[in-house]
Amino acid sequence: MCGILGLLLHDSRTDCAPEICEGLSLLQHRGQDACGIVTCGYKGRFYQCKANGMVRDIFDEKSVQKLIGSMGVGHVRYPTAGSFNNAEAQPFYVNSPYGIVFAHNGNLINTASLLHYMDATAHRHINTSSDSELLLNIFANNLQQTGKFRINEDDIFTAIGGMMKQVKGAYACVAMLAGFGIIAFRDPNGIRPVGMAVRKSAAGNDYMFASESVVADASGFTEWDDVKPGEAVIITRTSVSRRQVHEPATFAPDIFEFVYFARPDSVLDGVSVYRSRMAMGDALADEVRQVLTVRNIHVDVVIPVPDTSRVAALNLAQKLNLPYREGFIKNRYIGRTFIMPGQQMRKKNVRRKLNAMALEFVDKNVLLVDDSIVRGTTSKEIIQMAKDVGAKKVIVASCAPPIRYPNVYGIDMPSRNELVAHGRAEDSIAEAIGADLVIFQTLPKLVDSVRQFNTSITAFDCSVFTGEYITGGVDEAYLSHIESLRADNVRGKVAAMTGDLSTTEGKGGGGVGRGANAGEPIIATLNATAQNGVDNTVGLHNSYSYS
Ligand SMILES: *[C@@H]1O[C@H](CO)[C@@H](O)[C@H](O)[C@H]1NC(C)=O
Ligand SMILES: *[C@@H]1O[C@H](CO)[C@@H](O)[C@H](O)[C@H]1NC(C)=O
């Protein structure tokens, strides 16, 4: 997952970087691996600062001061399993045509054919294995094809519309054209979020694009409006233009944003994340009551697994008339385990991150509420912690149904056989994580928990629960393909973590990632030609001659 941000200040003498930096820190939960800002100043010069690390580590007073200009783009990126390569930090830049800067959240699923198109037809070099760089170059190529010295908004809309026809997958993007303005667009299914807001003053309006509305609220921007699926928005110093550049497809925002990813104080597509989590707790309470009655189990206390599930757990406890206790105290200065790459790191982190207060567990039947169960490794560790401090029975209630399929739209989910619920019935999931019982939210109830706040949303992307992928193009071959990449990458990552960076780099497979890895294998295939030693022409194959 990633966070994206664009800002245009009406006063061209004010630098926008401090505010982008502030905004990125509010999006930090969407990615803690790398971050970056590019601004555009006088004469259309771009100033950039991007690197691996958290916003507070990368941006200090000195680095922010160097980012000159009143418009800019920012990005936070979550770990791409195995990639320590800050060449992949965003925003990306291409000089031609006109100078474009680009930040992307999501994942493309037809990277193989797109890379081939880049090489064979567009003759553009893609340096990293990031699908975001690919997407940027498709956009640039489409703009290039206008062949014009100066382009207008029509040309930009046309280029984005054309791009939407070429690419498949999830993408919410913010771009900037040198000396011109900022642009945002969202894939035709609207899987990933991005919206816009305005800060009005007598002197003029400032405009913002951001992944989540919380950024706008915190910076005094109002009139939050989600970019529509298949829509593009261009903001210049003199105008705001919006256009539907792709015919409407099924709007299907990713329901996992509400379950886990987004901040509770954000409103996405008219739905308060906080309210939807309250509703998830209410709905789950009904399910829990029913199951406990049937199984004749008594629960003494409801304890949330911090932080995401707190909201739901409190509502659930109230509805079941059970005491709610904060039994786990979080060490706030350690990152979220879900988005840390590499299994080993994840295991160690749970206990570093949480402490169980014996007082609230001893001799009790405990109902732990969690937002979801992915690998089950975290749940297993937490359940063990509860038992270690004296819990009699541990029952787990999950706000989301069993996750049985990988996410291919930009959330870094493990491959199917790493998902504890894949191919397992619920009782056997309980056994696998060491719980006495696991109670899952049903999918219709989860959907209703979100949808009740905006009933005009007719579908959600629920592929991690159902294995049905809204964009099409995700078949067994594709899933096995990304899984094999992933496996390679995890191996590379472990090598990298133990200090053996050379192994990672040398394989060229170390730079893995968020499904973006999809780029890697193709490269390997094309490489085969170069390896014959016959082909000495310039092109993609030669660019990747490292293997
Ligand atoms: C191209 O990729 C390599 C290897 O990942 C990286 O070291 C380098 O900085 C990249 N070059 C540019 C211009 O981004
Ligand atoms: C509800 O969702 C629809 C899309 O189905 C969107 O057009 C509308 O703006 C949303 N409502 C609000 C209040 O954001």
Side-chain angles (χ1 to χ4, degrees), residues 86-127:
N86 64 12
E88 291 188 34
Q90 295 192 37
F92 281 116
Y93 160 69
V94 286
N95 64 347
S96 171
Y98 319 110
I100 311 172
V101 165
F102 193 78
H104 165 223
N105 174 205
N107 184 54
L108 305 186
I109 54 176
N110 63 335
T111 36
S113 62
L114 293 175
L115 271 173
H116 184 260
Y117 171 78
M118 277 292 110
D119 184 38
T121 308
H123 311 312
R124 280 176 175 264
H125 172 233
I126 308 296
N127 187 58

Short mmCIF file of all heavy atoms in Angstrom, two decimals, residues 86-127:
data_model
loop_
_atom_site.label_atom_id
_atom_site.label_comp_id
_atom_site.label_asym_id
_atom_site.label_seq_id
_atom_site.Cartn_x
_atom_site.Cartn_y
_atom_site.Cartn_z
N ASN A 86 16.67 2.38 -3.08
CA ASN A 86 15.91 3.63 -3.08
C ASN A 86 15.74 4.22 -4.48
O ASN A 86 15.10 5.24 -4.65
CB ASN A 86 16.45 4.63 -2.07
CG ASN A 86 17.84 5.08 -2.41
OD1 ASN A 86 18.33 4.81 -3.50
ND2 ASN A 86 18.48 5.76 -1.48
N ALA A 87 16.29 3.55 -5.48
CA ALA A 87 15.95 3.96 -6.85
C ALA A 87 14.47 3.73 -7.10
O ALA A 87 13.90 4.28 -8.02
CB ALA A 87 16.77 3.18 -7.86
N GLU A 88 13.85 2.89 -6.25
CA GLU A 88 12.44 2.63 -6.42
C GLU A 88 11.56 3.51 -5.54
O GLU A 88 10.35 3.35 -5.53
CB GLU A 88 12.14 1.16 -6.15
CG GLU A 88 12.72 0.27 -7.23
CD GLU A 88 12.28 -1.18 -7.10
OE1 GLU A 88 11.13 -1.39 -6.68
OE2 GLU A 88 13.06 -2.06 -7.42
N ALA A 89 12.15 4.40 -4.77
CA ALA A 89 11.33 5.32 -3.99
C ALA A 89 10.64 6.27 -4.96
O ALA A 89 11.18 6.60 -6.02
CB ALA A 89 12.18 6.08 -2.98
N GLN A 90 9.47 6.71 -4.64
CA GLN A 90 8.71 7.60 -5.51
C GLN A 90 8.66 8.99 -4.87
O GLN A 90 8.98 9.13 -3.71
CB GLN A 90 7.30 7.05 -5.68
CG GLN A 90 7.29 5.72 -6.41
CD GLN A 90 5.89 5.31 -6.84
OE1 GLN A 90 5.07 6.13 -7.23
NE2 GLN A 90 5.60 4.01 -6.76
N PRO A 91 8.26 10.00 -5.61
CA PRO A 91 7.79 10.05 -6.98
C PRO A 91 8.87 9.73 -8.02
O PRO A 91 10.05 9.95 -7.78
CB PRO A 91 7.34 11.52 -7.15
CG PRO A 91 7.15 12.05 -5.78
CD PRO A 91 8.10 11.30 -4.93
N PHE A 92 8.42 9.22 -9.18
CA PHE A 92 9.30 9.00 -10.32
C PHE A 92 9.28 10.22 -11.24
O PHE A 92 8.32 11.00 -11.24
CB PHE A 92 8.82 7.78 -11.12
CG PHE A 92 9.24 6.47 -10.50
CD1 PHE A 92 8.28 5.58 -10.04
CD2 PHE A 92 10.57 6.12 -10.39
CE1 PHE A 92 8.65 4.37 -9.47
CE2 PHE A 92 10.95 4.91 -9.83
CZ PHE A 92 9.99 4.02 -9.37
N TYR A 93 10.32 10.33 -12.03
CA TYR A 93 10.44 11.48 -12.93
C TYR A 93 10.85 11.02 -14.33
O TYR A 93 11.70 10.14 -14.44
CB TYR A 93 11.51 12.43 -12.36
CG TYR A 93 12.10 13.41 -13.36
CD1 TYR A 93 11.33 14.45 -13.87
CD2 TYR A 93 13.42 13.29 -13.78
CE1 TYR A 93 11.88 15.34 -14.78
CE2 TYR A 93 13.97 14.18 -14.69
CZ TYR A 93 13.19 15.21 -15.19
OH TYR A 93 13.73 16.08 -16.08
N VAL A 94 10.23 11.57 -15.35
CA VAL A 94 10.79 11.43 -16.70
C VAL A 94 10.90 12.82 -17.32
O VAL A 94 10.05 13.68 -17.11
CB VAL A 94 9.96 10.54 -17.66
CG1 VAL A 94 10.09 9.07 -17.34
CG2 VAL A 94 8.52 10.97 -17.71
N ASN A 95 11.94 13.03 -18.08
CA ASN A 95 12.15 14.37 -18.62
C ASN A 95 11.32 14.63 -19.87
O ASN A 95 11.03 15.75 -20.21
CB ASN A 95 13.65 14.62 -18.89
CG ASN A 95 14.20 13.71 -19.94
OD1 ASN A 95 13.57 12.72 -20.32
ND2 ASN A 95 15.38 14.02 -20.41
N SER A 96 10.93 13.55 -20.54
CA SER A 96 10.26 13.76 -21.82
C SER A 96 8.94 13.03 -21.87
O SER A 96 8.87 11.87 -21.49
CB SER A 96 11.17 13.24 -22.94
OG SER A 96 10.47 13.24 -24.15
N PRO A 97 7.87 13.64 -22.34
CA PRO A 97 7.80 15.04 -22.78
C PRO A 97 7.50 15.98 -21.61
O PRO A 97 6.89 15.56 -20.65
CB PRO A 97 6.63 15.01 -23.75
CG PRO A 97 5.72 13.96 -23.19
CD PRO A 97 6.61 12.94 -22.55
N TYR A 98 7.92 17.17 -21.72
CA TYR A 98 7.58 18.32 -20.86
C TYR A 98 8.10 18.24 -19.42
O TYR A 98 8.07 19.25 -18.72
CB TYR A 98 6.05 18.54 -20.81
CG TYR A 98 5.38 18.37 -22.14
CD1 TYR A 98 4.55 17.28 -22.41
CD2 TYR A 98 5.62 19.27 -23.18
CE1 TYR A 98 3.96 17.11 -23.64
CE2 TYR A 98 5.03 19.10 -24.42
CZ TYR A 98 4.20 18.03 -24.65
OH TYR A 98 3.62 17.85 -25.87
N GLY A 99 8.56 17.06 -18.96
CA GLY A 99 8.95 16.92 -17.56
C GLY A 99 7.77 16.49 -16.72
O GLY A 99 6.86 17.27 -16.45
N ILE A 100 7.76 15.22 -16.36
CA ILE A 100 6.63 14.68 -15.60
C ILE A 100 7.13 14.03 -14.31
O ILE A 100 8.13 13.32 -14.31
CB ILE A 100 5.86 13.60 -16.41
CG1 ILE A 100 5.55 14.09 -17.83
CG2 ILE A 100 4.60 13.17 -15.69
CD1 ILE A 100 4.99 13.02 -18.73
N VAL A 101 6.39 14.29 -13.24
CA VAL A 101 6.67 13.64 -11.95
C VAL A 101 5.42 12.85 -11.59
O VAL A 101 4.30 13.28 -11.87
CB VAL A 101 6.99 14.72 -10.88
CG1 VAL A 101 6.91 14.13 -9.49
CG2 VAL A 101 8.36 15.31 -11.15
N PHE A 102 5.61 11.71 -10.95
CA PHE A 102 4.51 10.77 -10.86
C PHE A 102 4.55 9.97 -9.56
O PHE A 102 5.61 9.49 -9.14
CB PHE A 102 4.66 9.81 -12.05
CG PHE A 102 3.48 8.95 -12.33
CD1 PHE A 102 2.37 9.45 -12.99
CD2 PHE A 102 3.49 7.61 -11.97
CE1 PHE A 102 1.28 8.63 -13.27
CE2 PHE A 102 2.42 6.79 -12.26
CZ PHE A 102 1.31 7.30 -12.92
N ALA A 103 3.41 9.83 -8.89
CA ALA A 103 3.32 9.00 -7.68
C ALA A 103 2.10 8.09 -7.81
O ALA A 103 1.02 8.53 -8.23
CB ALA A 103 3.18 9.88 -6.44
N HIS A 104 2.25 6.84 -7.46
CA HIS A 104 1.25 5.82 -7.75
C HIS A 104 0.95 5.00 -6.51
O HIS A 104 1.85 4.64 -5.76
CB HIS A 104 1.81 4.95 -8.89
CG HIS A 104 1.10 3.64 -9.12
ND1 HIS A 104 1.79 2.47 -9.35
CD2 HIS A 104 -0.21 3.31 -9.18
CE1 HIS A 104 0.92 1.48 -9.55
NE2 HIS A 104 -0.29 1.95 -9.44
N ASN A 105 -0.31 4.66 -6.33
CA ASN A 105 -0.73 3.70 -5.31
C ASN A 105 -1.55 2.63 -6.03
O ASN A 105 -2.53 2.94 -6.68
CB ASN A 105 -1.59 4.43 -4.26
CG ASN A 105 -2.20 3.47 -3.23
OD1 ASN A 105 -3.22 3.77 -2.64
ND2 ASN A 105 -1.59 2.32 -3.03
N GLY A 106 -1.12 1.38 -5.90
CA GLY A 106 -1.86 0.31 -6.54
C GLY A 106 -0.93 -0.72 -7.12
O GLY A 106 0.26 -0.79 -6.74
N ASN A 107 -1.43 -1.50 -8.02
CA ASN A 107 -0.61 -2.51 -8.68
C ASN A 107 -1.21 -2.87 -10.02
O ASN A 107 -2.42 -3.03 -10.14
CB ASN A 107 -0.52 -3.77 -7.79
CG ASN A 107 0.41 -4.81 -8.38
OD1 ASN A 107 1.56 -4.52 -8.69
ND2 ASN A 107 -0.10 -6.01 -8.58
N LEU A 108 -0.36 -2.97 -11.03
CA LEU A 108 -0.84 -3.35 -12.36
C LEU A 108 -0.70 -4.86 -12.52
O LEU A 108 0.24 -5.47 -12.01
CB LEU A 108 -0.01 -2.65 -13.43
CG LEU A 108 0.06 -1.13 -13.34
CD1 LEU A 108 0.81 -0.56 -14.54
CD2 LEU A 108 -1.33 -0.52 -13.23
N ILE A 109 -1.64 -5.45 -13.25
CA ILE A 109 -1.55 -6.90 -13.40
C ILE A 109 -1.15 -7.32 -14.82
O ILE A 109 -0.88 -8.49 -15.03
CB ILE A 109 -2.86 -7.61 -12.98
CG1 ILE A 109 -4.04 -7.03 -13.73
CG2 ILE A 109 -3.07 -7.50 -11.48
CD1 ILE A 109 -5.31 -7.75 -13.43
N ASN A 110 -1.12 -6.41 -15.74
CA ASN A 110 -0.65 -6.81 -17.08
C ASN A 110 0.73 -6.22 -17.39
O ASN A 110 1.00 -5.77 -18.50
CB ASN A 110 -1.68 -6.43 -18.16
CG ASN A 110 -1.90 -4.93 -18.27
OD1 ASN A 110 -1.69 -4.20 -17.30
ND2 ASN A 110 -2.32 -4.47 -19.43
N THR A 111 1.60 -6.25 -16.40
CA THR A 111 2.93 -5.67 -16.58
C THR A 111 3.72 -6.36 -17.68
O THR A 111 4.52 -5.71 -18.36
CB THR A 111 3.76 -5.72 -15.28
OG1 THR A 111 3.45 -6.92 -14.61
CG2 THR A 111 3.49 -4.56 -14.40
N ALA A 112 3.51 -7.66 -17.84
CA ALA A 112 4.31 -8.40 -18.82
C ALA A 112 4.12 -7.81 -20.21
O ALA A 112 5.08 -7.45 -20.89
CB ALA A 112 3.93 -9.87 -18.81
N SER A 113 2.86 -7.66 -20.62
CA SER A 113 2.64 -7.15 -21.97
C SER A 113 3.00 -5.66 -22.06
O SER A 113 3.45 -5.18 -23.10
CB SER A 113 1.19 -7.40 -22.40
OG SER A 113 0.32 -6.70 -21.56
N LEU A 114 2.81 -4.94 -20.97
CA LEU A 114 3.16 -3.52 -20.98
C LEU A 114 4.67 -3.31 -21.13
O LEU A 114 5.11 -2.42 -21.86
CB LEU A 114 2.66 -2.84 -19.69
CG LEU A 114 1.16 -2.73 -19.52
CD1 LEU A 114 0.81 -2.16 -18.14
CD2 LEU A 114 0.52 -1.88 -20.61
N LEU A 115 5.44 -4.14 -20.44
CA LEU A 115 6.89 -4.03 -20.56
C LEU A 115 7.34 -4.34 -21.97
O LEU A 115 8.23 -3.68 -22.52
CB LEU A 115 7.57 -5.01 -19.60
CG LEU A 115 7.86 -4.48 -18.19
CD1 LEU A 115 8.38 -5.59 -17.32
CD2 LEU A 115 8.86 -3.32 -18.24
N HIS A 116 6.68 -5.30 -22.55
CA HIS A 116 7.02 -5.65 -23.92
C HIS A 116 6.70 -4.49 -24.86
O HIS A 116 7.47 -4.15 -25.76
CB HIS A 116 6.29 -6.92 -24.34
CG HIS A 116 6.68 -7.37 -25.71
ND1 HIS A 116 5.92 -7.11 -26.83
CD2 HIS A 116 7.79 -8.01 -26.14
CE1 HIS A 116 6.54 -7.59 -27.89
NE2 HIS A 116 7.67 -8.14 -27.51
N TYR A 117 5.56 -3.87 -24.61
CA TYR A 117 5.15 -2.73 -25.41
C TYR A 117 6.16 -1.59 -25.26
O TYR A 117 6.55 -0.94 -26.24
CB TYR A 117 3.75 -2.28 -24.98
CG TYR A 117 3.30 -0.97 -25.58
CD1 TYR A 117 2.83 -0.92 -26.90
CD2 TYR A 117 3.33 0.21 -24.84
CE1 TYR A 117 2.41 0.29 -27.44
CE2 TYR A 117 2.92 1.41 -25.38
CZ TYR A 117 2.47 1.45 -26.68
OH TYR A 117 2.06 2.64 -27.23
N MET A 118 6.60 -1.35 -24.04
CA MET A 118 7.58 -0.29 -23.79
C MET A 118 8.86 -0.54 -24.59
O MET A 118 9.42 0.36 -25.19
CB MET A 118 7.95 -0.28 -22.29
CG MET A 118 6.99 0.48 -21.42
SD MET A 118 7.02 2.25 -21.75
CE MET A 118 5.45 2.48 -22.53
N ASP A 119 9.28 -1.78 -24.58
CA ASP A 119 10.52 -2.12 -25.25
C ASP A 119 10.36 -2.13 -26.76
O ASP A 119 11.06 -1.43 -27.49
CB ASP A 119 10.98 -3.50 -24.76
CG ASP A 119 12.32 -3.88 -25.37
OD1 ASP A 119 13.18 -3.00 -25.51
OD2 ASP A 119 12.51 -5.07 -25.69
N ALA A 120 9.38 -2.87 -27.23
CA ALA A 120 9.25 -3.12 -28.67
C ALA A 120 8.66 -1.94 -29.43
O ALA A 120 9.03 -1.67 -30.56
CB ALA A 120 8.39 -4.37 -28.88
N THR A 121 7.71 -1.23 -28.81
CA THR A 121 7.00 -0.19 -29.55
C THR A 121 7.39 1.21 -29.10
O THR A 121 7.70 2.07 -29.93
CB THR A 121 5.47 -0.39 -29.39
OG1 THR A 121 5.17 -1.74 -29.72
CG2 THR A 121 4.70 0.55 -30.29
N ALA A 122 7.36 1.45 -27.81
CA ALA A 122 7.61 2.81 -27.33
C ALA A 122 9.10 3.12 -27.19
O ALA A 122 9.49 4.27 -27.12
CB ALA A 122 6.91 3.03 -26.00
N HIS A 123 9.92 2.07 -27.15
CA HIS A 123 11.37 2.23 -27.00
C HIS A 123 11.73 3.08 -25.79
O HIS A 123 12.56 3.98 -25.87
CB HIS A 123 11.99 2.86 -28.26
CG HIS A 123 11.55 2.17 -29.51
ND1 HIS A 123 11.57 0.79 -29.65
CD2 HIS A 123 11.05 2.66 -30.66
CE1 HIS A 123 11.11 0.48 -30.85
NE2 HIS A 123 10.78 1.59 -31.48
N ARG A 124 11.08 2.79 -24.69
CA ARG A 124 11.40 3.49 -23.45
C ARG A 124 12.05 2.55 -22.47
O ARG A 124 11.61 1.41 -22.31
CB ARG A 124 10.12 4.08 -22.83
CG ARG A 124 9.70 5.36 -23.47
CD ARG A 124 8.39 5.85 -22.90
NE ARG A 124 8.09 7.16 -23.46
CZ ARG A 124 8.39 8.31 -22.86
NH1 ARG A 124 8.97 8.31 -21.68
NH2 ARG A 124 8.11 9.45 -23.43
N HIS A 125 13.07 3.02 -21.82
CA HIS A 125 13.80 2.21 -20.86
C HIS A 125 13.14 2.28 -19.49
O HIS A 125 12.92 3.36 -18.96
CB HIS A 125 15.24 2.72 -20.77
CG HIS A 125 16.02 2.09 -19.67
ND1 HIS A 125 16.69 2.82 -18.72
CD2 HIS A 125 16.24 0.79 -19.37
CE1 HIS A 125 17.29 2.00 -17.88
NE2 HIS A 125 17.03 0.77 -18.25
N ILE A 126 12.82 1.13 -18.93
CA ILE A 126 12.29 1.07 -17.57
C ILE A 126 13.41 0.56 -16.69
O ILE A 126 13.87 -0.56 -16.84
CB ILE A 126 11.07 0.12 -17.50
CG1 ILE A 126 10.03 0.46 -18.57
CG2 ILE A 126 10.44 0.15 -16.11
CD1 ILE A 126 9.39 1.81 -18.42
N ASN A 127 13.85 1.37 -15.76
CA ASN A 127 15.06 1.04 -15.00
C ASN A 127 14.80 0.16 -13.78
O ASN A 127 15.66 -0.58 -13.34
CB ASN A 127 15.77 2.32 -14.56
CG ASN A 127 17.12 2.05 -13.93
OD1 ASN A 127 17.99 1.45 -14.57
ND2 ASN A 127 17.30 2.44 -12.68
#
